[in-house]
Amino acid sequence: MVLFTMIARVADGLPLAASMQENEQPGRDLQKYQNQAKQLFRKLNEQSPDRCTLEAGDVSFHYLIEHGVCYLTLCEAVYPKKMAFGFLEDLQTEFYDNYGRKVPTVTRPYSFIEFDTYIQKMKKSYIDSRTRRNFGSINTELQDVQRIMVANIEEVLQRGEALSALDTKASNLTSLSKKYRSDAKYLNTRSTYAKVQPHLCF
Amino acid sequence: MSSTGFNSRNGTGQTYANGPSQNPGMGFNIGSQAPYSPMPTKGPVAPGAGLYNSGPYQPGPPAGPYQPGPPAGAYQPGPPAGAFQPGPQAGPYQPAAPVSSYHPPPGQPPLTRPPMGGPPPTLTPPQSSSPAPRMPHAQATPPPPAAMSHNYYPNQPPQQSPSPAWQYGAAAPPAAAPHGAMRAPPSGPVGNHVGPMNPAATLLPPQPSPSSSAGYAPTPLAPVPHSTAPGSGPGPVPLHGYTQPGNASTPPPMAPHPYQPASAPYGALPTGHAMPPMGPPPMGNATPPPPKAEGPSAGNGHQAPYAFNHLENKMAGAPQSGPPGRHLGHYPSLPPGYNNTPASQGAAPPMHPPMQTAPSQYPPQPQLYQQPPGGPGLAQMSSSLASLSLQGNTPEALRVVNLLQERNLLPAGPIPAPTPPLPQDLQKVNCNPEVFRCTLSSIPQTQSLLNKAKLPLGLLLHPFKDLSVTLQLPVVTSSTIVRCRSCRTYINPFVSFLDQRRWKCNLCFRVNDVPEEFMYNPISRSYGEPQKRPEVQNATIEFIAPSEYMLRPPQPAVYLFVLDVSHNAVETGYLNVVCQSLLDNISALPGDTRTKVGFITFDSTIHFYNLQEGLSQPQMLIVSDIEEIFLPTPDSLLVNLNECKELVQDLLKSLPHIFEKTMETQSALGPALQAAFKLLSPTGGRVSVFQTQLPSMGVGALKSREDPNQRASAKDIQHLAPATDFYKKLALDCSGQQVAVDLFLLSAQYCDLASLGCISRYSAGSVYYYPSYHHQHNPAQVERFEKDLKRYLTRKIGFEAVMRIRCTKGLSIHTFHGNFFVRSTDLLSLPNVNPDAGFAVQMSIEENLVDMQVVSFQAALLYTSSKGERRIRVHTLCLPVVNSLTDVFAGADVQAVTGLLASMAVDRSVSASLGDARDAMTNAAIDSLASYRHAALTIQQPGLLAPACLRLFPLYVLALLKQKAFRTGTSTRLDDRVFSMCQLKFQPLVYAMLMIHPTLYRVDDLSDQGALNISERTIPQPRELQLSVEKLCREGAFLMDAGSVMHLWVGRSCNPSFLTQVLGVPDYAALPQNMYQLPELETAESQRTRAFIGWLREQRPFYPSLHIIRDDSPQKGDFMQNMIEDRTESALSYYEFLLHMQQQISK
């Protein structure tokens, strides 16, 4: 089942549209996943794979990048991947038709929030098992879905952090070595004084 | 401290869920406690002490010892109200006699004027006056010189201690006393009051005749208890004190010399004088009043006459006071003067010369009503004197007004908010007072100074006001919003730029970097001028928020209507109006393509409506299990308005008919609200509840608590607090899910608004009340309901909002008024915000504001617009800091003070008692004027003196006392009273003021003279009249504008042309009893009248209905009850109230 859907601009991670989480899932903190999604948007760039599934425990993020826009949805892990990508493809087509040209120019977050109405509608049709049969075509189109890269959300989000951690560690090292140097100097002088002092006394 | 108060009020800080449960039983009280804390505390200590201190005797009661005693006798604030009623002294000033003996020209002119003839005469009168009735004032006068100087200081500290106890000052400190403590005090004061009250009551009535002595007895008595302490009021100590002044004045020659021009009008004259001889001691005392500073330099004796007056003044004071026994002796003589207004007034003037000059100096100000034609000589003289001595630089706000003498205090038009004395460039960009104003437009430097002024310090806000019409609202889209890094203040016009790259926060004084983007100015397209950015040019601005300001994607506009369809509701016929109104305005509901709507109806069961796209007609789903409410279907109860418009319209058309024949009388409001909450909690939104009776089933069922027979007679009003905390708890749950509940109450019966109102109060909704609504019997109400609904449905709305008010370091905000929930200490959670909501906050000064020229306040409102944009509206207000009491008074904003006072009193009447709240308001007026008289005035003249800026304060306080919310002795339905309280708390100040003090115009002689011209319409501007029957005349027609209702009273022998040309009836007899509209006639008179009424209506969001009232109409009572300057069987007239105040002050 689709839990929430967000659409963002890849270039700067600006959220363009989203669907409200309709039914509060008891015991599931959607807020946390939303924040992860936002972080993810900020990490994505042109080099990112344009289709990817990121696992996060019993739920998975699926995203699709097309024309500089990222379509992301959070589903339960058991939800069929091809359905999820079919859903995203649908959104992509509709969104691009309606707003595609305006995407690069907007500055306000959620400028196309009205797209939510369409997302809701699509979501409903994907939830309803009876209509699933209607999507037989999708099944064939998306054969290659198996080849979509799978990664772990934590890893993706922390990839950057590991680098920055390295960076801070390196700079820590630098400052520590500097401190060592000055301390050593200070000790040296002190020992020199210590040596000289007795002589002076005499 | 205050924070604890808040927490308690909210239950718990952040987690709403816990909120309610934590303080279950305490419901409302808790909420209201924080606010009241100050007042109750005051109760016990202050009643006596506070008053007393501020009294003329301030000095007298040298120091502490005095305080303990007084409460007993000294304080009879309560009683006065009661005591006076008997109204022996009613004689002089009584509405009953429309001609009001108040302005008996005969008595006064002679009395006033003659003595004033010239300096020499002036000299004599005082003496003569001294024996005269006005003794009390007289004695009031003397103390200041020496005695005061002496005692002032010692006295000061004690004075402060009580003052915190007083409503405002205290705020924070008293809060320290936990609830328990607070609880207790109220009873304390009550007891106290009662004590004095009785004696007073018994004593005063007789007062008229022999009583005089008796009447005054309380005062003499008072000293007795005190005398246990060293200073027995007027007794020995004062004697001592007075004699000293006497000495001081002994060097009469001195007097002239120190007389400084500037100080003349208001300055601390006596002090000034005393200074030279007295040396240091007076110095100390002199500190408070600013003029003192000028004292030394003042030595220009050139205005001999003036000085002379002054001297005489002094003399008058000294002799009288000299023998203390004497003024005791005078008391008896006083009442006559008291009874006999003219006399006392006549006597007063002689002392006044200097002061009288002031008025004449200002041409615009209302003429003294007793101004005799013959007076010019003196007037000229004194005015020239005044101009000499004053050099015309007394601010108008400080012009001394003797309220007992000046009758026509109302300005011709609306009262503008005072302009703070700020540098021009700051004032130019300052926030509009309609949006943001402070009770004191000059902020006192220290809490003790604030305490001395005895005025409440607070802010009044109208943050979401519709601005498009009056002001332009700059909107800024920027990826980074520049804010202070430590206190998160938004950059504003009052920050200072240290250089191009750094700015200093005006609230916490941290130096911040100017971000790179800010260097570019998108408007002028230039670089390197951060000062030119719109954020730095406008005190009111709106930002489009970046995504950091969103916890979740912006919610759509969601509207849920919860309609009562019980038998009672169907009877009233309101359903038709609601459905029709919705049908008419369905396309005008604010929103975008995501907008959702839903409907729930309820009687003893809950009915849902499935409006799923594709259905041929709406489907009603009935849930009869009201114990455990559930949603019958997961979706389609809230539907997209755009996609299901037809179904929605079908439903609206059929809804009134579905229930036409219902016989179900029960009402399960509680469960219906729970269902609404369940339905909206995933998204948030607005619930509009229409209710017509007391909820009787399921959770939240209520019982009638009102005994109609007790309405008028009850000593104290019960049941102002909610009966159950169900509604509050539910409201807090709603608030947590961004759901606001607006309540429309249409009922002829008692509905327990005190309990029901909580649902709106804590969820930031609003309450609308249409008493006795009926589609046939009450057409005016129906028209108003229709118009209000239209406004309600189409006005702007903000969702999932929060508001935070910040202020400069040193000030602290401690109590909030309005409808909201306080999340964390200073964050107001507003699930909805609407343009008609007002807020107020109380502040205290925690750290002295030394070295600060100005302080700033910033209100930031973050909300989601109905179009799904997250926006931040920021208002910044900048005010100067002053260190003299005179300046504090000069900056007082009487309307704001009244508004804040009303909110505080509402809280107080719920937490303590109505009687307490009434006393507190009366005392507020008395204390502030007493403090003005004793600390800010140098010339001690008799009479009830007020600075011009506060001249309406007693009138407004009296008006509050006569408001439905606070009145006693008149039959008032409990719901009416509670609703009036709600309105006082959440209406923006402009509208609340109209409700408190309606405006009265004579409209049968409208002319185009001085008319406004607005877009080719000519709108006549009649003068505002005082609310007194004396202003009415049979030949006229008068329009009273009371905010939500207008009355047009037509006199019995009304001008026939008005009847035919405007009302369209041949004569008075043909005027129907019920008339709610003016016919649209083509005559000039009709057009003028309609233009005027239309113009009044345009100025407010909700539609005031018009009632045309014949002189013999049963509705006349509604009109007359607003004649607040007149006496009623249970309330004082304005003049009596002033006398009461004067008596309290001079005690």
Side-chain angles (χ1 to χ4, degrees):
Chain A
M1 200 168 89
V2 175
L3 298 175
F4 72 76
T5 311
M6 290 177 94
I7 301 175
R9 186 161 66 192
V10 175
D12 56 0
L14 182 78
L16 299 174
S19 74
M20 297 294 298
Q21 61 276 31
E22 268 287 289
N23 14 20
E24 288 283 324
Q25 297 276 317
R28 186 169 279 162
D29 186 10
L30 280 181
Q31 194 65 51
K32 180 181 118 195
Y33 295 116
Q34 278 192 1
N35 289 339
Q36 285 188 338
K38 278 189 198 165
Q39 289 177 35
L40 182 66
F41 285 144
R42 263 175 246 135
K43 304 245 175 220
L44 292 176
N45 54 39
E46 289 78 30
Q47 281 82 47
S48 309
D50 59 0
R51 272 155 202 246
C52 188
T53 296
L54 304 168
E55 291 166 348
D58 58 348
V59 293
S60 317
F61 290 96
H62 306 279
Y63 77 78
L64 166 91
I65 298 179
E66 201 86 46
H67 303 292
V69 177
C70 174
Y71 304 85
L72 175 140
T73 182
L74 179 75
C75 301
E76 284 158 328
V78 295
Y79 193 74
K81 217 196 256 186
K82 55 188 174 186
M83 290 290 286
F85 279 96
F87 172 62
L88 292 178
E89 286 285 349
D90 269 344
L91 293 186
Q92 189 269 322
T93 326
E94 182 72 17
F95 188 83
Y96 187 72
D97 285 353
N98 285 323
Y99 309 106
R101 257 168 296 146
K102 288 186 237 158
V103 166
T105 56
V106 296
T107 53
R108 179 165 70 78
Y110 299 105
S111 294
F112 310 120
I113 188 75
E114 295 189 46
F115 189 65
D116 177 26
T117 319
Y118 183 80
I119 302 178
Q120 303 277 2
K121 226 182 283 173
M122 287 311 291
K123 194 172 108 183
K124 225 174 267 174
S125 65
Y126 272 83
I127 287 168
D128 194 341
S129 58
R130 280 168 301 174
T131 53
R132 278 189 200 179
R133 282 173 228 130
N134 304 338
F135 296 105
S137 53
I138 295 171
N139 291 351
T140 50
E141 275 174 29
L142 292 173
Q143 289 303 331
D144 56 339
V145 112
Q146 300 302 330
R147 272 167 276 141
I148 288 173
M149 187 180 152
V150 178
N152 186 293
I153 181 81
E154 297 294 326
E155 283 171 24
V156 176
L157 291 182
Q158 278 166 19
R159 198 177 295 151
E161 270 148 44
L163 279 177
S164 63
L166 191 64
D167 192 44
T168 43
K169 276 176 192 161
S171 58
N172 272 352
L173 203 59
T174 332
S175 62
L176 281 177
S177 60
K178 264 184 198 148
K179 188 168 179 287
Y180 175 76
R181 200 180 137 177
S182 63
D183 284 359
K185 225 177 185 173
Y186 174 69
L187 278 177
N188 266 339
T189 31
R190 273 197 65 172
S191 68
T192 319
Y193 283 134
K195 275 181 211 158
V196 174
Q197 223 169 14
H199 292 279
L200 289 177
C201 291
F202 287 117
Chain B
M1 179 60 281
S2 46
S3 75
T4 53
F6 295 137
N7 283 343
S8 69
R9 106 186 290 195
N10 299 330
T12 68
Q14 309 266 22
T15 41
Y16 308 175
N18 299 345
S21 53
Q22 273 227 339
N23 43 5
M26 315 180 56
F28 205 91
N29 281 341
I30 295 178
S32 25
Q33 216 125 44
Y36 313 136
S37 37
M39 306 175 73
T41 344
K42 158 248 152 177
V45 207
L51 259 188
Y52 223 92
N53 277 342
S54 48
Y57 278 123
Q58 257 172 348
Y66 207 49
Q67 274 134 19
Y75 181 68
Q76 353 114 299
F84 278 108
Q85 296 160 11
Q89 65 286 55
Y93 178 91
Q94 249 213 6
V99 197
S100 153
S101 39
Y102 184 26
H103 55 181
Q108 247 126 31
L111 272 170
T112 13
R113 243 65 241 299
M116 319 245 320
T122 12
L123 233 187
T124 30
Q127 256 111 0
S128 68
S129 77
S130 66
R134 291 167 21 286
M135 206 49 244
H137 323 299
Q139 50 166 218
T141 339
M148 234 187 178
S149 58
H150 219 74
N151 303 327
Y152 229 141
Y153 254 129
N155 211 12
Q156 220 58 313
Q159 202 178 0
Q160 282 166 20
S161 68
S163 62
W166 201 218
Q167 333 176 13
Y168 351 101
H179 313 306
M182 289 149 123
R183 259 316 136 94
S187 63
V190 174
N192 272 347
H193 292 196
V194 177
M197 199 157 183
N198 292 341
T202 45
L203 287 171
L204 280 178
Q207 180 181 3
S209 43
S211 64
S212 40
S213 58
Y216 263 82
T219 337
L221 278 184
V224 180
H226 312 160
S227 63
T228 47
S232 57
V237 169
L239 163 57
H240 184 63
Y242 292 145
T243 42
Q244 245 180 355
N247 296 342
S249 62
T250 25
M254 301 248 356
H257 114 259
Y259 211 58
Q260 337 74 336
S263 63
Y266 51 94
L269 259 189
T271 2
H273 289 236
M275 285 204 37
M278 304 282 299
M283 275 301 248
N285 107 42
T287 3
K292 158 236 149 184
E294 294 139 37
S297 66
N300 38 2
H302 61 282
Q303 322 89 349
Y306 200 33
F308 200 40
N309 278 346
H310 166 69
L311 164 67
E312 145 263 298
N313 229 346
K314 243 186 180 193
M315 307 246 309
Q320 294 159 352
S321 55
R326 223 176 136 199
H327 39 87
L328 276 181
H330 278 297
Y331 277 121
S333 69
L334 179 119
Y338 203 80
N339 287 337
N340 178 359
T341 335
S344 90
Q345 276 173 354
M351 312 277 286
H352 280 222
M355 149 183 178
Q356 225 126 5
T357 63
S360 43
Q361 224 188 5
Y362 301 86
Q365 64 94 196
Q367 336 81 322
L368 295 183
Y369 62 90
Q370 79 275 31
Q371 192 96 16
L378 173 80
Q380 275 170 13
M381 181 168 175
S382 51
S383 76
S384 60
L385 283 177
S387 57
L388 264 180
S389 58
L390 305 179
Q391 292 167 353
N393 56 3
T394 318
E396 162 67 12
L398 282 177
R399 178 170 58 83
V400 183
V401 177
N402 184 348
L403 296 176
L404 290 173
Q405 288 196 336
E406 267 189 61
R407 190 75 215 293
N408 296 312
L409 294 172
L410 287 179
I415 304 161
T419 315
L422 280 173
Q424 189 97 53
D425 52 331
L426 291 185
Q427 186 50 35
K428 213 170 54 195
V429 293
N430 217 349
C431 199
N432 186 318
E434 286 175 30
V435 171
F436 206 160
R437 68 205 271 185
C438 185
T439 54
L440 301 177
S441 61
S442 300
I443 303 292
Q445 197 174 48
T446 62
Q447 178 71 36
S448 66
L449 187 58
L450 172 61
N451 292 345
K452 243 183 267 170
K454 306 262 185 200
L455 287 167
L457 177 61
L459 300 170
L460 288 100
L461 292 94
H462 189 179
F464 205 51
K465 182 179 163 59
D466 286 322
L467 290 175
S468 48
V469 192
T470 45
L471 297 166
Q472 46 143 346
L473 177 66
V475 178
V476 174
T477 314
S478 141
S479 51
T480 47
I481 295 180
V482 182
R483 300 174 66 177
C484 171
R485 285 182 59 192
S486 82
C487 68
R488 309 299 293 147
T489 297
Y490 295 81
I491 196 164
N492 61 68
F494 311 106
V495 302
S496 43
F497 282 89
L498 301 181
D499 53 48
Q500 291 289 343
R501 292 288 173 177
R502 290 178 306 151
W503 62 277
K504 190 171 172 192
C505 175
N506 53 336
L507 270 65
C508 69
F509 309 113
R510 182 195 161 104
V511 176
N512 293 276
D513 293 335
V514 175
E516 188 55 36
E517 296 103 302
F518 204 72
M519 298 299 289
Y520 176 73
N521 184 350
I523 292 179
S524 64
R525 292 168 189 273
S526 56
Y527 184 85
E529 286 188 319
Q531 299 90 332
K532 295 279 165 62
R533 293 267 304 194
E535 292 92 327
V536 189
Q537 293 290 317
N538 297 283
T540 291
I541 196 164
E542 194 155 276
F543 297 96
I544 306 282
S547 58
E548 296 88 72
Y549 290 82
M550 304 175 193
L551 277 178
R552 55 175 192 175
Q555 68 161 85
V558 181
Y559 307 110
L560 178 66
F561 297 88
V562 179
L563 304 160
D564 181 358
V565 293
S566 62
H567 178 70
N568 190 41
V570 174
E571 267 304 286
T572 63
Y574 89 91
L575 210 51
N576 273 314
V577 177
V578 173
C579 292
Q580 192 54 48
S581 190
L582 260 172
L583 278 173
D584 294 345
N585 297 303
I586 200 146
S587 312
L589 287 177
D592 52 14
T593 58
R594 295 196 300 157
T595 308
K596 290 179 167 190
V597 293
F599 296 87
I600 292 178
T601 56
F602 67 98
D603 40 35
S604 63
T605 55
I606 315 294
H607 324 129
F608 297 87
Y609 296 86
N610 185 341
L611 299 166
Q612 192 176 17
E613 217 179 345
L615 286 176
S616 60
Q617 61 174 45
Q619 199 177 22
M620 180 156 100
L621 305 164
I622 300 178
V623 175
S624 53
D625 178 10
I626 57 167
E627 293 309 314
E628 207 154 310
I629 203 75
F630 60 92
L631 300 182
T633 160
D635 49 9
S636 310
L637 296 178
L638 270 183
V639 293
N640 187 298
L641 181 60
N642 264 26
E643 286 160 7
C644 307
K645 197 176 259 177
E646 270 132 51
L647 272 183
V648 170
Q649 284 168 333
D650 279 356
L651 176 65
L652 288 172
K653 281 176 199 150
S654 56
L655 209 49
H657 308 294
I658 302 178
F659 299 99
E660 240 167 16
K661 302 263 170 345
T662 186
M663 294 310 286
E664 186 56 72
T665 55
Q666 302 279 41
S667 163
L669 175 67
L673 286 172
Q674 286 179 322
F677 167 64
K678 278 214 163 85
L679 198 50
L680 285 196
S681 54
T683 49
R686 179 177 80 187
V687 181
S688 316
V689 183
F690 295 82
Q691 170 76 6
T692 63
Q693 57 172 318
L694 201 62
S696 56
M697 283 184 80
V699 282
L702 298 168
K703 291 197 174 57
S704 178
R705 297 190 288 168
E706 186 185 33
D707 178 358
N709 301 324
Q710 293 290 304
R711 275 181 201 150
S713 57
K715 269 274 168 273
D716 220 337
I717 309 299
Q718 301 296 309
H719 307 308
L720 291 172
T724 162
D725 65 349
F726 168 77
Y727 294 99
K728 181 184 177 180
K729 279 184 181 175
L730 186 59
L732 296 186
D733 291 343
C734 285
S735 175
Q737 299 297 332
Q738 307 295 353
V739 176
V741 183
D742 292 333
L743 177 65
F744 288 81
L745 197 58
L746 309 103
S747 158
Q749 307 293 315
Y750 173 70
C751 273
D752 201 349
L753 186 56
S755 303
L756 292 186
C758 292
I759 190 74
S760 299
R761 174 172 174 186
Y762 296 99
S763 68
S766 0
V767 177
Y768 304 89
Y769 182 42
Y770 304 87
S772 314
Y773 181 90
H774 195 278
H775 62 120
Q776 281 168 342
H777 304 161
N778 203 340
Q781 201 75 291
V782 175
E783 188 194 12
R784 202 181 120 218
F785 182 51
E786 276 171 5
K787 295 270 176 34
D788 286 5
L789 266 182
K790 179 170 194 302
R791 160 76 182 170
Y792 173 77
L793 293 172
T794 57
R795 72 184 175 190
K796 207 174 138 102
I797 183 170
F799 294 96
E800 43 185 3
V802 288
M803 181 164 77
R804 197 187 292 271
I805 302 169
R806 298 181 171 86
C807 48
T808 297
K809 211 168 72 181
L811 292 167
S812 92
I813 291 173
H814 58 77
T815 304
F816 299 85
H817 302 279
N819 288 355
F820 48 73
F821 168 70
V822 185
R823 214 190 321 172
S824 73
T825 49
D826 60 345
L827 188 67
L828 307 186
S829 161
L830 305 163
N832 280 184
V833 60
N834 70 67
D836 306 321
F839 300 87
V841 298
Q842 284 169 250
M843 291 187 297
S844 55
I845 302 168
E846 305 241 299
E847 294 165 34
N848 293 349
L849 307 169
V850 284
D851 303 332
M852 285 185 211
Q853 299 298 313
V854 295
V855 288
S856 303
F857 309 90
Q858 188 172 71
L861 176 73
L862 172 64
Y863 68 98
T864 302
S865 77
S866 51
K867 302 251 185 293
E869 291 174 351
R870 200 80 171 134
R871 288 165 166 251
I872 309 164
R873 189 173 290 188
V874 179
H875 305 285
T876 315
L877 176 71
C878 179
L879 294 175
V881 176
V882 297
N883 57 12
S884 86
L885 197 55
T886 336
D887 291 343
V888 174
F889 276 113
D893 178 342
V894 67
Q895 293 194 316
V897 168
T898 311
L900 185 61
L901 204 61
S903 290
M904 290 160 66
V906 169
D907 283 357
R908 183 91 187 261
S909 43
V910 177
S911 69
S913 73
L914 196 69
D916 250 27
R918 289 172 55 92
D919 290 350
M921 285 189 288
T922 317
N923 292 344
I926 293 172
D927 286 358
S928 59
L929 292 193
S931 150
Y932 171 72
R933 183 186 188 102
H934 298 294
L937 261 191
T938 21
I939 325 167
Q940 294 295 333
Q941 302 137 333
L944 183 59
L945 306 183
C949 59
L950 282 178
R951 69 190 189 281
L952 294 174
F953 193 29
L955 179 63
Y956 286 158
V957 167
L958 180 68
L960 279 175
L961 294 175
K962 293 186 175 185
Q963 255 305 302
K964 272 189 187 151
F966 302 115
R967 71 187 180 189
T968 52
T970 314
S971 175
T972 309
R973 297 170 61 225
L974 192 53
D975 280 346
D976 283 347
R977 188 185 293 278
V978 173
F979 180 62
S980 172
M981 289 183 172
C982 293
Q983 281 187 305
L984 288 175
K985 283 203 73 157
F986 75 68
Q987 274 192 332
L989 183 65
V990 213
Y991 313 126
M993 278 321 292
L994 264 186
M995 181 183 146
I996 295 169
H997 187 272
T999 46
L1000 182 69
Y1001 309 94
R1002 180 165 186 167
V1003 290
D1004 61 316
D1005 55 355
L1006 291 180
S1007 74
D1008 286 344
Q1009 204 177 4
L1012 281 184
N1013 249 315
I1014 301 175
S1015 55
E1016 314 222 336
R1017 287 181 310 152
T1018 308
I1019 293 144
Q1021 298 290 301
R1023 207 192 135 78
E1024 282 184 25
L1025 303 174
Q1026 280 147 302
L1027 294 171
S1028 167
V1029 174
E1030 116 197 25
K1031 294 285 171 193
L1032 302 180
C1033 64
R1034 284 174 186 215
E1035 292 76 33
F1038 294 84
L1039 180 74
M1040 178 187 284
D1041 176 9
S1044 60
V1045 63
M1046 290 182 184
H1047 301 284
L1048 178 62
W1049 178 85
V1050 183
R1052 210 175 274 278
S1053 38
C1054 178
N1055 186 351
S1057 79
F1058 184 77
L1059 290 169
T1060 52
Q1061 308 294 313
V1062 178
L1063 297 173
V1065 292
D1067 53 27
Y1068 179 78
L1071 196 62
Q1073 281 284 2
N1074 300 316
M1075 195 169 162
Y1076 302 104
Q1077 260 173 342
L1078 289 180
E1080 299 201 5
L1081 304 177
E1082 285 305 307
T1083 60
E1085 290 86 347
S1086 170
Q1087 274 164 357
R1088 252 185 234 132
T1089 317
R1090 282 182 292 123
F1092 179 59
I1093 292 180
W1095 175 75
L1096 288 176
R1097 280 178 169 160
E1098 277 163 24
Q1099 292 174 335
R1100 64 203 70 160
F1102 289 103
Y1103 180 87
S1105 53
L1106 176 69
H1107 298 255
I1108 297 165
I1109 301 178
R1110 288 161 57 110
D1111 191 38
D1112 51 359
S1113 151
Q1115 288 166 315
K1116 193 182 168 190
D1118 296 340
F1119 178 72
M1120 289 304 170
Q1121 73 179 10
N1122 284 330
M1123 290 296 182
I1124 46 181
E1125 295 200 14
D1126 295 341
R1127 103 197 315 267
T1128 65
E1129 69 270 22
S1130 57
L1132 296 181
S1133 74
Y1134 178 52
Y1135 191 69
E1136 287 164 336
F1137 183 69
L1138 290 181
L1139 289 178
H1140 164 60
M1141 283 185 63
Q1142 187 196 22
Q1143 189 197 20
Q1144 293 293 320
I1145 288 174
S1146 49
K1147 221 185 338 188

